[in-house]
Amino acid sequence: MSKGGARHRARGTEQFILHDLYYLDCIRAALVSKGSLQNYGSILVKNDRIIGRGYNRLIQFRDKIRQGYANHAEINAINDALRQKRDTRGSTLYVAGFFPTERMLCLRSEPNYTCTRCIPGMEEYGVKLLAVPTLSGWETFPMDEVEGVVRNFRDHTPGKNTHEKRLSAWHNPYTIDFLLERVHSIDPFHSL
């Protein structure tokens, strides 16, 4: 894996992320989220098999990892795997989302990740790689590089706060409506 992450071929047709099956599964989960600024979904994959799914939501009684009153999608995917007694060590965590007010997908040509709150939980439960979507496919980062990716985003992206920075960084022509019109198989309540 090269410094700064390694691009790998999308699992769907061609190399375009909107056709990627893992991306669509993350968006399916994000559609269930009730967030007002950003809605995210995550899947945890080990040996090419999805072992956990999550979306932003309030803490549940059975959650092993807790982040205040609500957990992020990444942590909920790990919690889902742990509830099912699945081994999370060596897994890859995929995360994707959209801005519900602007209806814009969180996509850009260069990869970025912005959440330092999720890193300790990912490390504690042995997540090996973090995968973030770009327009041409997934970009993966080993966990020891993720904090640097977050720092780079925060230090070099214009905006007064994280939400403004995310909006400016992820400005693109693709909306959640565009995706839903083209992919009829997205059922937000299937398998969650």
Side-chain angles (χ1 to χ4, degrees), residues 97-191:
F98 66 96
F99 299 96
T101 303
E102 296 82 2
R103 310 291 294 162
M104 184 172 56
L105 296 173
C106 299
L107 278 175
R108 63 182 275 187
S109 57
E110 293 302 314
N112 65 41
Y113 183 70
T114 62
C115 186
T116 56
R117 290 184 60 209
C118 291
I119 295 171
M122 290 187 270
E123 290 175 336
E124 181 178 352
Y125 288 93
V127 172
K128 182 179 178 183
L129 299 170
L130 174 69
V132 295
T134 69
L135 290 169
S136 61
W138 291 101
E139 187 90 13
T140 56
F141 296 94
M143 285 310 300
D144 62 354
E145 292 182 17
V146 172
E147 207 163 306
V149 173
V150 173
R151 196 174 321 104
N152 185 55
F153 172 81
R154 294 221 170 124
D155 293 347
H156 301 290
T157 306
K160 291 184 280 188
N161 57 49
T162 302
H163 180 65
E164 279 187 15
K165 288 176 183 251
R166 287 176 179 157
L167 276 174
S168 73
W170 284 317
H171 185 74
N172 68 73
Y174 301 106
T175 66
I176 190 68
D177 304 307
F178 172 86
L179 185 62
L180 293 174
E181 286 171 8
R182 282 150 185 79
V183 182
H184 303 291
S185 65
I186 293 184
D187 174 2
F189 302 102
H190 178 72
S191 301

Side-chain angles (χ1 to χ4, degrees), residues 14-161:
E14 304 172 20
Q15 276 194 308
F16 193 61
I17 196 71
L18 299 180
H19 299 283
D20 182 88
L21 299 176
Y22 284 180
Y23 181 75
L24 296 175
D25 215 2
C26 287
I27 294 297
R28 180 182 296 120
L31 287 166
V32 180
S33 178
K34 303 290 186 240
S36 60
L37 294 178
Q38 296 105 23
N39 291 10
Y40 288 98
S42 284
I43 58 171
L44 192 61
V45 176
K46 185 171 180 178
N47 300 325
D48 290 325
R49 197 170 140 241
I50 297 172
I51 62 169
R53 288 181 172 85
Y55 57 92
N56 297 358
R57 65 171 169 74
L58 295 176
I59 297 289
Q60 302 295 304
F61 176 73
R62 300 171 304 174
D63 287 348
K64 192 163 188 152
I65 311 169
R66 295 175 180 220
Q67 298 177 302
Y69 69 92
N71 279 345
H72 290 192
E74 301 93 306
I75 296 304
N76 281 322
I78 296 169
N79 278 327
D80 183 45
L82 295 173
R83 274 193 297 278
Q84 298 175 63
K85 300 188 183 336
R86 294 185 172 151
D87 182 11
T88 58
R89 291 172 301 196
S91 59
T92 300
L93 187 78
Y94 292 79
V95 61
F98 66 96
F99 299 96
T101 303
E102 296 82 2
R103 310 291 294 162
M104 184 172 56
L105 296 173
C106 299
L107 278 175
R108 63 182 275 187
S109 57
E110 293 302 314
N112 65 41
Y113 183 70
T114 62
C115 186
T116 56
R117 290 184 60 209
C118 291
I119 295 171
M122 290 187 270
E123 290 175 336
E124 181 178 352
Y125 288 93
V127 172
K128 182 179 178 183
L129 299 170
L130 174 69
V132 295
T134 69
L135 290 169
S136 61
W138 291 101
E139 187 90 13
T140 56
F141 296 94
M143 285 310 300
D144 62 354
E145 292 182 17
V146 172
E147 207 163 306
V149 173
V150 173
R151 196 174 321 104
N152 185 55
F153 172 81
R154 294 221 170 124
D155 293 347
H156 301 290
T157 306
K160 291 184 280 188
N161 57 49

